[in-house]
Amino acid sequence: MGEPGREEYKIQSFDAETQQLLKTALKDPGAVDLEKVANVIVDHSLQDRVFSKEAGRMCYAIIQAESKQAGQSVFRRGLLNRLQQEYQAREQLRARSPQGWVCYVTFICNIFDYLRVNNMPMMALVNPVYDCLFRLAQPDSLSEEEEVDCLVLQLHRVGEQLEKMNRQRMDELFVLIRDGFLLPTSLSSLAQLLLLEIIEFRAAGWKTTPAAHKYYYSEVSD
């Protein structure tokens, strides 16, 4: 970890009572209800896009602290249970709150990025993460810039890891992305640019050249 300042910063978006709950969970996890802590973090992640991008770091810290203190995984179990509940209701979430849906995808990808078992990503999260990304690659999602942006950001973050876990599903996902790019009936110019950038990014081995970065991101900033 080594970045307590960042933990403190993220906690500031909570009310004082919840801040204290989270600080205690990080320092003395046995002293608080860790299932409640998991629910608090998931609930806030579904409402706060900035927090959802970084919450995995906090979750990892709590899991490490609990394991070191008691050799248990109450928090991780509670976290995965909530992720599963929200995953099962993902279409309802998207219909009810497009922003909440984007936050959920950002959060589950962030958790996938941070949580490890024997230094490997958690297999239990691979297919749910893929399913969320497949949903973002459907035509109705590709017509929404916020969902396209989420899809591309998450592939930048976890695409290479996901491909190592299941290459076939990544191939299938990029067929959808290419089809969406080639049939731009309702795509904005920004969405087309983002999709082309991620197609080239993967083709280059999940890397980008300085020239490509300058081209795409100068276009985005314009």
Side-chain angles (χ1 to χ4, degrees), residues 14-25:
F14 293 89
D15 62 58
E17 182 180 348
T18 307
Q19 286 186 41
Q20 189 57 48
L21 176 72
L22 294 174
K23 286 177 182 178
T24 304

Side-chain angles (χ1 to χ4, degrees), residues 1 9 19 21 69 77 82 103 113 115 117-118 130 134 139 144 164 182 186 192 198 210 213 220 222:
M1 296 296 295
Y9 172 76
Q19 286 186 41
L21 176 72
Q69 184 185 73
R77 187 165 58 249
R82 265 304 299 278
C103 285
D113 192 24
L115 266 59
V117 175
N118 298 324
Y130 262 122
F134 268 76
E144 302 292 334
K164 289 175 181 176
L182 293 171
S186 59
Q192 286 180 273
I198 199 63
H213 186 275
V220 169
D222 291 344

Side-chain angles (χ1 to χ4, degrees), residues 5-163:
R6 293 194 66 179
E7 297 305 326
E8 293 292 327
Y9 172 76
K10 285 178 291 186
I11 290 174
Q12 298 308 314
S13 58
F14 293 89
D15 62 58
E17 182 180 348
T18 307
Q19 286 186 41
Q20 189 57 48
L21 176 72
L22 294 174
K23 286 177 182 178
T24 304
L26 286 160
K27 294 173 184 174
D28 184 15
V32 294
D33 180 345
L34 290 173
E35 286 197 23
K36 178 181 179 181
V37 173
N39 284 322
V40 164
I41 290 174
V42 174
D43 288 341
H44 200 68
S45 294
L46 296 181
Q47 300 166 13
D48 186 331
R49 182 82 178 270
V50 174
F51 182 74
S52 71
K53 294 178 181 179
E54 294 293 341
R57 185 184 294 271
M58 182 186 295
C59 292
Y60 175 79
I62 295 171
I63 288 168
Q64 292 294 100
E66 184 190 10
S67 177
K68 184 176 181 180
Q69 184 185 73
Q72 295 182 325
S73 55
V74 174
F75 175 78
R76 185 173 72 182
R77 187 165 58 249
L79 177 67
L80 294 177
N81 284 342
R82 265 304 299 278
L83 285 172
Q84 177 71 6
Q85 290 171 19
E86 299 297 338
Y87 165 77
Q88 290 172 341
R90 61 194 182 281
E91 283 296 339
Q92 296 94 308
L93 174 61
R94 183 177 180 271
R96 183 176 71 251
S97 172
Q99 182 180 0
W101 158 240
V102 166
C103 285
Y104 174 73
V105 178
T106 303
F107 180 63
I108 194 173
C109 288
N110 194 242
I111 294 298
F112 174 78
D113 192 24
Y114 275 101
L115 266 59
R116 290 285 185 273
V117 175
N118 298 324
N119 209 33
M120 290 287 291
M122 293 190 68
M123 285 300 300
L125 291 176
V126 173
N127 281 329
V129 168
Y130 262 122
D131 289 345
C132 289
L133 298 181
F134 268 76
R135 184 63 186 87
L136 290 174
Q138 298 303 313
D140 59 335
S141 288
L142 293 178
S143 67
E144 302 292 334
E145 281 187 1
E146 188 175 21
E147 291 189 77
V148 174
D149 184 58
C150 180
L151 172 64
V152 170
L153 283 173
Q154 302 322 311
L155 283 169
H156 270 282
R157 181 162 202 161
V158 299
E160 186 172 11
Q161 294 180 61
L162 278 172
E163 184 168 65

